[in-house]
Amino acid sequence: MEGIGAVLIDIDGVLTVSWKPLPGTVAAMERLREAGLPLALVTNTTSRTRASIAGKLAGEGFPVSADDILTAPAVTAAHLREHHPGARCLLINTGDIRDDLTGVTLVDEHASGPAHGDEPDVVVLGGAGDAFTYAALNRAFRHVRRGARLVAMHRNMYWRTATGLDLDTGAFLLGLERAARVEAEITGKPAGSFFAAALAHLGATPSRTLMVGDDIESDVLAAQRAGLTGVLVRTGKYLPETHRAATGTPDHVIDSFADLPALLERLGA
């Protein structure tokens, strides 16, 4: 594996589906560890903190810790601290990720607005789910129309669960952007800043780093635009029609993450 300096790996749909390992993924991860290859798990997952994700994966046998994981919420926190310091932020998200939003001032979702003297400066959209009610999205719309900035952790349209594909944030974000006539600041994949943060975390260079994902646009092609080598897996949310209609061509396509060690050995030969 001398030709490869580091690997970035998506989690949902690549290593697991509904947090259960896909066939061969634990063994493949163990092989990467044995080879001493620096790696980071990079995910737009917004339902769990880094520590919770690490605990869940370790419980399934993956040799990972919280230090190996970079999430959209953690990158969002860094973005807010840098670009909106001191801002009051209204978070709409399914799942408790507050522990990863260090240094961010959150206002109460149900008690914000002029009547409460606590209008948010920034509306932050996390992951879709039960929290994405009409009332919550309408509240976000009104705040953005008033002048609050709109930040979204990602634009994913859907993800794969054990029962099929489920709608994700991007499906709602498009409507909110169009209705409010704004464009959201995106902090997770496919933002180039997300990949830059992951590379900095590993001390890796783009030209010697692989990105492995099941989302051809947000994972693979976005990584290739950032100078990384993209590897698309035919698991998770992968669909042949999406592959054919993509805006570019992945550098490599493999059936699953279980096939990654063999690909790495070929690339390093």
Side-chain angles (χ1 to χ4, degrees):
M1 299 185 184
E2 300 94 9
I4 303 300
V7 179
L8 306 183
I9 307 162
D10 184 32
I11 298 174
D12 194 19
V14 176
L15 299 178
T16 66
V17 168
S18 294
W19 299 105
K20 294 299 180 183
L22 289 165
T25 56
V26 171
M29 179 72 74
E30 290 172 342
R31 287 190 61 188
L32 267 60
R33 288 299 198 195
E34 290 167 2
L37 192 63
L39 59 87
L41 309 188
V42 291
T43 177
N44 279 347
T45 295
T46 54
S47 60
R48 294 173 178 264
T49 62
R50 295 168 63 234
S52 175
I53 292 171
K56 185 66 175 176
L57 292 176
E60 296 292 343
F62 289 100
V64 299
S65 68
D67 289 340
D68 298 316
I69 298 169
L70 187 66
T71 65
V75 172
T76 299
H79 175 88
L80 292 170
R81 292 192 300 267
E82 179 180 355
H83 297 283
H84 304 286
R88 298 180 303 277
C89 300
L90 173 63
L91 173 66
I92 302 176
N93 180 70
T94 300
D96 187 2
I97 55 173
R98 290 171 184 259
D99 286 350
D100 279 352
L101 296 178
T102 54
V104 176
T105 300
L106 297 177
V107 300
D108 189 335
E109 178 184 353
H110 301 291
S112 60
H116 304 277
D118 200 14
E119 283 193 338
D121 305 303
V122 182
V123 172
V124 182
L125 294 188
D130 292 342
F132 274 50
T133 64
Y134 173 80
L137 291 171
N138 194 49
R139 189 180 303 115
F141 168 69
R142 290 182 174 181
H143 287 311
V144 173
R145 285 285 295 166
R146 175 187 52 78
R149 301 297 292 267
L150 179 61
V151 173
M153 296 188 187
H154 60 77
R155 287 190 180 276
N156 292 1
M157 300 297 288
Y158 51 84
W159 81 96
R160 172 75 65 180
T161 71
T163 56
L165 296 176
D166 284 355
L167 283 176
D168 208 346
T169 302
F172 302 92
L173 179 60
L174 285 173
L176 184 57
E177 286 179 315
R178 184 166 181 179
R181 297 182 180 179
V182 300
E183 184 173 346
E185 301 168 29
I186 307 300
T187 54
K189 297 175 293 182
S193 57
F194 185 94
F195 294 105
L199 291 169
H201 178 70
L202 293 177
T205 58
S207 62
R208 297 190 63 233
T209 302
L210 266 67
M211 171 66 211
V212 187
D214 65 328
D215 187 318
I216 190 170
E217 296 289 348
S218 293
D219 291 339
V220 179
L221 299 182
Q224 291 177 195
R225 287 193 294 272
L228 288 75
T229 297
V231 180
L232 177 66
V233 294
R234 296 190 184 97
T235 56
K237 68 171 65 173
Y238 174 87
L239 295 170
E241 57 267 35
T242 305
H243 189 173
R244 290 192 296 269
T247 58
T249 302
D251 292 316
H252 303 280
V253 181
I254 57 179
D255 286 337
S256 77
F257 183 78
D259 299 318
L260 184 65
L263 173 63
L264 287 169
E265 291 193 7
R266 290 199 302 272
L267 294 177

